[in-house]
Each structure stands twice: as C-alpha cells, then as structure tokens.
C-alpha cells in the first residue's frame, strides 16, 4: 500500500452517491490528481471542511492502482472570506477553471501552486481590484506553463525602440517597423508595456503591490484576453457568469 502525503488545494468537487465526493486536488508533490473522499458529505465527517473547493490542506492519500482515497487531512486554510462575496467567489472560481484546464494529470508545478495561493490570499484579504488581480494571475500562469510572452524586445527584429503593439500570435511586442507582421496585434501604451514587464519579472511577494488607472487596466485586459484565447483555445463558463454578476451590480 502506497501513500501520498502532500499539501494541496481542492480545485473541484463532484458529489457521488449519497455521501461521497470525487475531488480534483492540485498538490505540491504530485501535481493535479483525482481522489475519492468517502463519506465527506456526512454532517459529522472529519473530511467535510477540507474537501470543499478552495480548501488548502495537508493530505494523506492512499494511492491505489486505479484510484486514490483520502485517508486523513489537516485543514490549513479554507479561504472562507472569498465565499462571502459573490464577485470574489466568481473570480476565484474562474481562476480554478482556468488552472484545471491547463494542468495535465500529475504535472508538478510548485511555482504555480504558490502563485494560486498568493492570488487567493490577496483576493480574500484585500480590497484590490479583482479585475487587476485576474490579469496578474493570467499572465503569471501563462508564463508558468511555458507561454512567457516576449516583453523586452520586438519578437520580429529584436529592437527595443518604438514599441507600441502586442501580438498574441507571435507571442510578444512589436516595434513600429514590424507592426505589419501581425495586422491583428493590439495597440499598447508605454504604461501597459511596463506593467506587463513588472508582472512577469516581479517576486511573488511584490507582485500585487500596485494599482492601475482604468485606461491601462482596460488595455491590459484586452491583451490578456487575446493572449489566453489564442493559446488556450477554450471558453470559460465562469467568465460568462462573472459578466452577468457585474452587470447586475452596476
């Protein structure tokens, strides 16, 4: 009998039968794995608190030939504050839908796990604009899985002057002389350019310590949406729901 002992966060929970759950957990040591949580929906179950979406726990998991079963868990943090705000909850749900879509089974990525935990902590404990938090998370996630955009020199000629456009197809910035290499590239101000550089190069402890004016944030949003759509090629249901929620609050 083999066991996995690892910290991890619950990405997804699916009810099975009368009292069980199947979970997707993003673990530090084994990456994304599916596990069975027997009896987790019973009111007196010792697994209840740690088998909810967003719960970060220390798990002891029996690893079978065709299945994994949670034996024990110790809750580290549940991010309960996120659940008390519909906007924060929807953004966090989107982060996990995105994360689940880009992670392969048992793909270890500790940096991405730490980024996710930091992002949830900032979302829960601060009043920072969740849209900016989302843009930061999207860009750092893309870099973490191998889609780091080139933001320091033109992707076509290597120049560093007159940079005013971003190409999702080519994967980075274009100078004026090379702007015709992608007619669908996005106009980008110097402020947006510097912001993306900061996001991609900053230490995790400094990553969320800035604000943006609305114009730059909107420009950043268009660029990140385009970049994800080109490379991920997937639509996200939580984004559609987020737009509905935000429209109702406006």
């Amino acid at each position: 009998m083999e066991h996995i002992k690892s910290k991890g966060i619950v990405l997804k929970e699916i009810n099975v039968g009368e009292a069980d759950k199947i979970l997707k957990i993003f673990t530090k040591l084994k990456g994304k794995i599916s596990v069975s949580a027997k009896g987790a929906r019973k009111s007196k179950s010792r697994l209840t608190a740690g088998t909810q979406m967003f719960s970060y726990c220390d798990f002891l998991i029996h690893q079978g030939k065709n299945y994994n079963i949670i034996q024990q868990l110790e809750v580290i943090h549940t991010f309960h504050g996120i659940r008390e705000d519909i906007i924060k909850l929807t953004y966090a749900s989107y982060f996990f839908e995105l994360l689940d879509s880009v992670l392969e089974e048992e793909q270890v990525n500790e940096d991405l796990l730490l980024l996710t935990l930091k992002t949830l902590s900032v979302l829960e404990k601060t009043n920072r604009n969740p849209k900016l938090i989302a843009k930061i998370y999207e860009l750092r996630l893309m870099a973490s899985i191998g889609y780091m955009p080139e933001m320091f020199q033109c992707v076509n000629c290597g120049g560093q002057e007159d940079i005013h456009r971003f190409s999702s197809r080519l994967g980075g910035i274009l100078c004026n002389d090379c702007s015709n290499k992608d007619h669908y590239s996005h106009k980008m101000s110097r402020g947006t350019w510097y912001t993306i550089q900061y996001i991609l190069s900053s230490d995790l402890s400094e990553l969320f310590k800035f604000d943006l004016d609305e114009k730059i944030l909107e420009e950043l949003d268009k660029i990140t949406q385009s970049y994800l759509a080109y490379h991920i090629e997937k639509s996200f249901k939580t984004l559609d729901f987020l737009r509905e929620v935000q429209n109702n609050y406006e």
Side-chain angles (χ1 to χ4, degrees), residues 150-163 172-178 181 193:
E150 173 55 69
M151 297 304 300
F152 292 91
Q153 61 183 24
C154 174
V155 289
N156 187 62
C157 72
Q160 297 178 320
E161 302 294 330
D162 296 322
I163 303 294
I173 54 177
L174 289 171
C175 68
N176 283 351
D177 291 341
C178 298
K181 297 298 180 181
W193 179 22

Side-chain angles (χ1 to χ4, degrees), residues 51-65:
T51 55
Q52 299 178 44
M53 189 173 172
F54 310 128
S55 292
Y56 179 54
C57 305
D58 206 343
F59 292 98
L60 179 64
I61 299 167
H62 164 63
Q63 187 175 25
K65 188 174 182 180

Side-chain angles (χ1 to χ4, degrees), residues 188-202:
M188 182 182 64
S189 66
R190 187 168 292 271
T192 302
W193 179 22
Y194 289 163
T195 297
I196 298 175
Q197 286 182 339
Y198 180 87
I199 291 170
L200 294 174
S201 61
S202 290

Side-chain angles (χ1 to χ4, degrees), residues 105-218:
E105 291 290 328
E106 298 192 11
Q107 176 187 355
V108 178
N109 191 328
E110 186 176 353
D111 287 344
L112 186 49
L113 177 59
L114 292 174
L115 170 67
T116 301
L117 293 170
K118 179 67 173 180
T119 303
L120 292 181
S121 179
V122 173
L123 185 65
E124 179 187 35
K125 296 178 180 179
T126 75
N127 290 319
R128 292 195 173 276
N129 188 336
K131 187 173 184 178
L132 175 56
I133 293 173
K135 299 307 105 182
I136 295 170
Y137 185 72
E138 288 167 342
L139 284 169
R140 285 292 284 254
L141 176 143
M142 293 296 285
S144 181
I145 63 172
Y147 292 100
M148 170 81 82
E150 173 55 69
M151 297 304 300
F152 292 91
Q153 61 183 24
C154 174
V155 289
N156 187 62
C157 72
Q160 297 178 320
E161 302 294 330
D162 296 322
I163 303 294
H164 295 294
R165 303 198 74 85
F166 179 90
S167 169
S168 295
R169 180 174 64 84
L170 298 177
I173 54 177
L174 289 171
C175 68
N176 283 351
D177 291 341
C178 298
S179 60
N180 61 351
K181 297 298 180 181
D182 182 1
H183 295 292
Y184 296 98
S185 62
H186 292 269
K187 186 176 180 181
M188 182 182 64
S189 66
R190 187 168 292 271
T192 302
W193 179 22
Y194 289 163
T195 297
I196 298 175
Q197 286 182 339
Y198 180 87
I199 291 170
L200 294 174
S201 61
S202 290
D203 184 82
L204 190 59
S205 63
E206 302 295 323
L207 186 55
F208 295 93
K209 293 183 178 180
F210 70 95
D211 292 305
L212 292 178
D213 66 45
E214 194 62 30
K215 184 177 180 181
I216 292 179
L217 182 55
E218 287 304 314

